[in-house]
Amino acid sequence: MKKIFLALLLLCNISVFLTSCTERTIDLTKVTIVYDQSDRPLVAQMAQTLADDIERVSGVRPSVATTPVEGAMVLLGTIGNSTVISDVNEINGLWESFSIRTDANKIEVVGSDPRGLAYGVFRISEKIGVNPWYWWADVPVAKNANVMYGEDYISEEPTIKYRGVFINDEDWGMKTWSERNFEKELGDIGPKTYDKVCELLLRLKANMLAPAMHTCTGAFYSHPESQVSADKWGIMITTSHCEPLLVNNAAPSEWDVERDGEWNFLTNRDRIVQKFDNRIRETSQYDNIYTVGMRGLHDEAMKGSTDPSVRARTLEQVFAVQRGILENYKKQSADEIKQIFVPYKETLDIYDAGLVVPEDITLVWTDDNYGYMKRVSNEEERKRSGGNGVYYHLSYLGAPHDYLWLNTTAPALMYEELKKAYDAGANRYWLLNVGDIKPMELGVQMFMEMAWSFDDFSYENANKYQAKWLASVFGKEYYERFQTILDEYYRLAWDRKPEYMGYEREWDMPHYDLLHDTDYSFETGTAQARLADYKQISDECQQILSELPNELAISFFEVLGYSVKSAYQMNLKFLMAQRNHETGKQEDALASLAANDSIQQLITEFNTMLDGKWNQMISEVPPGFCAKYQMMPEVGTEPTSKHKLPSRQLYPEFDNKIDFTSVKAKAPFRLIEGMGTDWVALQLGEPLDAVQDASNLASEHIDITFQTEVAPEGKDEITICVSMIPMWPIYQGRSNTFGISLDGCEPVVCENRFVEYAESWKMQVMENRKDFVVTLPFDSSIKEHTLSFHIGDPGQIVQKITYK
């Protein structure tokens, strides 16, 4: 019965397309796929790939030819390079665009360039039932003996010119999987792995890859066939902020201090330049994107002077040398070669100290590693010929704490922050840090769709995208259930990521190095509520798994089920250990131990399904280099305060809540669904609008009414806690200010000023909030009051308001 259900479901998922086709629909099992052998290499690859996909659906592989034949044909080609297709004026000269035209006996797929052609082919593949995640997430292929297809379609140019992912912090996932399982004959991440990665990227309409680069992994170019695998799929190689000119100095094969000396441009210039020169000479025939500048080894700061202005002069020398090397081997002027500069960590300070970055180099702005953009382009930077871009994280290893395990970045947050960057001109380059790809599939899928067609997304639909995508794969009847699961899953992680439940901090003072009890309370009920919410969505995932046919259930477990169930068990482990510390009861200790065992059982289930296809992709709960959340907390037979959370880590919040979720927000104010502790947040103006005087009662403001109990004896003040989403100023000269007033009194101005890696910033990261406690004049003889928020620096976001 489940197999019948699966067949019907998959057919339904493509029926909307099939029933909308014209009478020109063609059976793809009876066509010959034709391309011109003088066309670009990717076209030949796509002819074979289309044949593969038709065979995946039907069991019949169509013929592939290099000249037209009698009968039905699918003609593939790129404008100006092929004799088998017609030129399409609508896409001529466009970037990565395509046209599909159908007549009585042929389908013509024309690309403005090779990747445009590939995206056209993969549109057909998706329409006939081959999901881009058919291999990486085991989404079943819709089986159909008659593969009918036909449409006329012209694509637009992609929103973002260069789009791709960075495989990073791979030590406990991609590396262990490739080394011990998928590519164990090589014992490393190599061409076999990258062949699968690059196919996925092209199916997702991406065009670039930053390869894995940790010390545990052989450098990308230590296996030359890996570049060939990328080129086979038309995927450009780009690199992270710490890999200048494609040189991975974290890999001993690329740079060894004992062999090569110190990675210091001022004292070891000749050796470093030799490395740059050799790498570009070896790879100049490929279409890649080059990171310019340099940092220290791996993720360290530059060696030499710590004065940012001195470092700026050094980097300017580095730019000149690197651009000369590129010109020499690429045989183009520097301003015609794709280059990026990433002001990441200390290099942002160097940039702010007056670093002169050549005009044609793309500035790639980064988030703070935790989902909040540290900077977007100001008006002058938007004028650069090289344009601007974004480097964004779904996964991170670093202080104050890693999150390498599960995909927990809220979709609405990702949209809001990327929209801010996009509106400021970041449309040239988008790179997403995806860890090991799995289990980040939902975040990767959404990011790539936004990069392809950003205008399809809005504040109204961003939070719904992932549930709709899941419903398109697993059944539209599940949409509401998927949305409920995702809302609760992301909301619970918003307050505290599963990786943070040990309340330790990494690379910090010794007293932060210990596992602590949480700030959820069994006395007030917040701990029980959190566990109940997690249990509900974990049980719902299990119920859906039991309803789905086996093939779909496996895929659902990979994409969402594993993450939801694991997050619940991690919370259960720590919260039941906490209750054991409070009560000394053995049943609480046993519940914590059982949760820890369940985490391991879920890993075993992941690693053994599909005959071990993904064995070692989640080799363990990723420990990073010094995390402890993956450990079992102590439990005992007596109550103890040994693990009590220090009061300095507690945030202020009061019992009485002011609800703003039903306020009538009009531009420039906005309620955003899918952000904040209560899953609706209030945005105070558009981020790029002009700064206003938040202390001025007449400034733009939004009013929120609330009621209190009347106290005839009188009370002359009220204390309000406003919890803000912890954003960064959008660029130099801006801050994070807003005003708050009560019942028409003068506003009090609040400003979130912080320094990265300082104590206040670390607390913001761990708690995902910045709280302001404000005391305001208050007339307790009045029942109804008006709380007003005044715009200062536009774009600040309120997530919760409480008072006493």
Side-chain angles (χ1 to χ4, degrees), residues 417-429:
E417 289 294 290
L418 291 173
K419 175 175 170 51
K420 182 163 54 181
Y422 175 71
D423 288 346
N427 63 2
R428 183 66 59 91
Y429 177 106

Side-chain angles (χ1 to χ4, degrees), residues 23 101 132 165 178 181 224 271 444 500 504 607 690 692 701 792:
E23 59 188 19
R101 290 179 176 174
V165 304
S178 292
N181 183 357
R271 185 62 171 157
V444 175
Y500 301 171
E504 84 280 21
N607 286 332
Q692 299 187 38
H701 60 275

Side-chain angles (χ1 to χ4, degrees), residues 452-603:
W452 177 257
S453 185
F454 193 76
D455 289 342
D456 288 345
F457 290 79
S458 67
Y459 283 108
E460 289 69 38
N461 68 20
N463 188 53
K464 298 179 174 64
Y465 172 81
Q466 294 184 7
K468 288 184 177 179
W469 185 86
L470 288 170
S472 75
V473 173
F474 301 107
K476 290 180 172 50
E477 67 273 24
Y478 289 103
Y479 168 72
E480 294 294 339
R481 294 165 73 180
F482 290 152
Q483 188 66 58
T484 298
I485 292 169
L486 289 168
D487 278 339
E488 286 296 278
Y489 172 71
Y490 285 121
R491 179 186 66 80
L492 290 162
W494 179 283
D495 279 350
R496 195 86 185 179
K497 289 183 181 291
E499 294 93 334
Y500 301 171
M501 284 304 294
Y503 281 68
E504 84 280 21
R505 294 211 312 233
E506 302 176 54
W507 291 283
D508 213 315
M509 303 296 289
H511 56 267
Y512 288 117
D513 189 40
L514 305 173
L515 293 177
H516 291 102
D517 290 339
T518 77
D519 53 7
Y520 299 99
S521 170
F522 285 96
E523 183 178 350
T524 65
T526 56
Q528 294 96 319
R530 184 172 178 84
L531 288 176
D533 290 343
Y534 258 127
K535 184 178 187 304
Q536 183 174 6
I537 59 173
S538 179
D539 289 349
E540 181 71 340
C541 279
Q542 184 58 44
Q543 180 60 36
I544 292 172
L545 285 166
S546 71
E547 295 173 13
L548 290 172
N550 186 57
E551 297 94 328
L552 282 172
I554 289 171
S555 181
F556 179 70
F557 179 74
E558 293 178 46
V559 172
L560 186 60
Y562 169 79
S563 296
V564 172
K565 296 171 76 173
S566 295
Y568 169 46
Q569 295 300 328
M570 184 63 72
N571 277 263
L572 189 62
K573 178 180 79 171
F574 279 107
L575 288 170
M576 295 313 293
Q578 173 180 323
R579 190 153 76 171
N580 169 260
H581 301 156
E582 294 170 357
T583 66
K585 291 182 178 179
Q586 276 303 286
E587 63 247 44
D588 298 329
L590 292 173
S592 179
L593 288 163
N596 189 56
D597 289 343
S598 293
I599 293 169
Q600 301 309 313
Q601 290 167 8
L602 286 163
I603 292 174

Side-chain angles (χ1 to χ4, degrees), residues 268-532:
N268 199 10
R269 175 177 175 143
D270 289 348
R271 185 62 171 157
I272 290 172
V273 171
Q274 181 186 43
K275 294 285 186 177
F276 293 158
D277 191 275
N278 289 344
R279 179 50 40 79
I280 302 306
R281 175 173 49 80
E282 296 164 356
T283 61
S284 60
Q285 71 269 35
Y286 295 108
D287 184 20
N288 293 326
I289 301 174
Y290 302 98
T291 299
V292 295
M294 61 184 290
R295 300 182 63 212
L297 287 175
H298 195 173
D299 203 4
E300 296 177 0
M302 281 181 67
K303 296 296 183 182
S305 174
T306 58
D307 184 334
S309 61
V310 174
R311 286 176 164 180
R313 304 293 80 78
T314 301
L315 275 185
E316 288 163 6
Q317 296 178 47
V318 174
F319 290 154
V321 169
Q322 291 171 331
R323 286 160 69 81
I325 293 171
L326 288 170
E327 287 185 328
N328 182 43
Y329 290 108
K330 299 291 286 185
K331 306 304 179 185
Q332 297 173 277
S333 64
D335 60 7
E336 297 175 311
I337 301 170
K338 297 182 285 292
Q339 301 155 74
I340 62 171
F341 175 70
V342 188
Y344 183 70
K345 293 185 177 177
E346 84 288 342
T347 52
L348 182 57
D349 297 330
I350 298 171
Y351 178 80
D352 289 339
L355 175 68
V356 178
V357 182
E359 177 81 8
D360 56 276
I361 296 173
T362 302
L363 293 178
V364 178
W365 304 109
T366 74
D367 68 343
D368 62 354
N369 305 307
Y370 295 93
Y372 295 99
M373 293 301 301
K374 287 183 64 177
R375 185 78 61 88
V376 300
S377 297
N378 61 29
E379 291 185 5
E380 285 302 310
E381 290 158 343
R382 293 171 212 169
K383 300 174 184 176
R384 295 175 57 86
S385 62
N388 299 275
V390 167
Y391 169 42
Y392 197 80
H393 289 76
L394 290 182
S395 172
Y396 178 63
L397 189 159
H401 204 289
D402 313 327
Y403 63 109
L404 302 169
W405 185 30
L406 305 177
N407 174 47
T408 54
T409 299
L413 173 65
M414 182 161 63
Y415 171 77
E416 184 272 333
E417 289 294 290
L418 291 173
K419 175 175 170 51
K420 182 163 54 181
Y422 175 71
D423 288 346
N427 63 2
R428 183 66 59 91
Y429 177 106
W430 277 18
L431 182 68
L432 182 67
N433 188 319
V434 299
D436 306 299
I437 298 179
K438 300 182 74 65
M440 305 292 172
E441 294 97 333
L442 286 175
V444 175
Q445 172 69 32
M446 181 173 176
F447 182 92
M448 288 306 160
E449 281 297 315
M450 286 195 290
W452 177 257
S453 185
F454 193 76
D455 289 342
D456 288 345
F457 290 79
S458 67
Y459 283 108
E460 289 69 38
N461 68 20
N463 188 53
K464 298 179 174 64
Y465 172 81
Q466 294 184 7
K468 288 184 177 179
W469 185 86
L470 288 170
S472 75
V473 173
F474 301 107
K476 290 180 172 50
E477 67 273 24
Y478 289 103
Y479 168 72
E480 294 294 339
R481 294 165 73 180
F482 290 152
Q483 188 66 58
T484 298
I485 292 169
L486 289 168
D487 278 339
E488 286 296 278
Y489 172 71
Y490 285 121
R491 179 186 66 80
L492 290 162
W494 179 283
D495 279 350
R496 195 86 185 179
K497 289 183 181 291
E499 294 93 334
Y500 301 171
M501 284 304 294
Y503 281 68
E504 84 280 21
R505 294 211 312 233
E506 302 176 54
W507 291 283
D508 213 315
M509 303 296 289
H511 56 267
Y512 288 117
D513 189 40
L514 305 173
L515 293 177
H516 291 102
D517 290 339
T518 77
D519 53 7
Y520 299 99
S521 170
F522 285 96
E523 183 178 350
T524 65
T526 56
Q528 294 96 319
R530 184 172 178 84
L531 288 176

Side-chain angles (χ1 to χ4, degrees), residues 233-290:
W233 294 103
I235 297 298
M236 296 174 284
I237 296 301
T238 186
T239 53
S240 69
H241 49 86
C242 53
E243 296 173 87
L245 255 56
L246 307 179
V247 174
N248 177 5
N249 65 29
S253 63
E254 303 260 301
W255 189 270
D256 183 273
V257 174
E258 292 186 4
R259 179 189 67 222
D260 299 307
E262 187 178 41
W263 181 262
N264 185 327
F265 189 78
L266 294 179
T267 63
N268 199 10
R269 175 177 175 143
D270 289 348
R271 185 62 171 157
I272 290 172
V273 171
Q274 181 186 43
K275 294 285 186 177
F276 293 158
D277 191 275
N278 289 344
R279 179 50 40 79
I280 302 306
R281 175 173 49 80
E282 296 164 356
T283 61
S284 60
Q285 71 269 35
Y286 295 108
D287 184 20
N288 293 326
I289 301 174
Y290 302 98

Side-chain angles (χ1 to χ4, degrees), residues 190-192 194-195 198 224-235:
K192 185 178 175 183
Y194 284 120
D195 182 73
C198 291
E225 299 87 354
S226 294
Q227 172 74 81
V228 176
S229 291
D231 196 57
K232 165 188 169 182
W233 294 103
I235 297 298

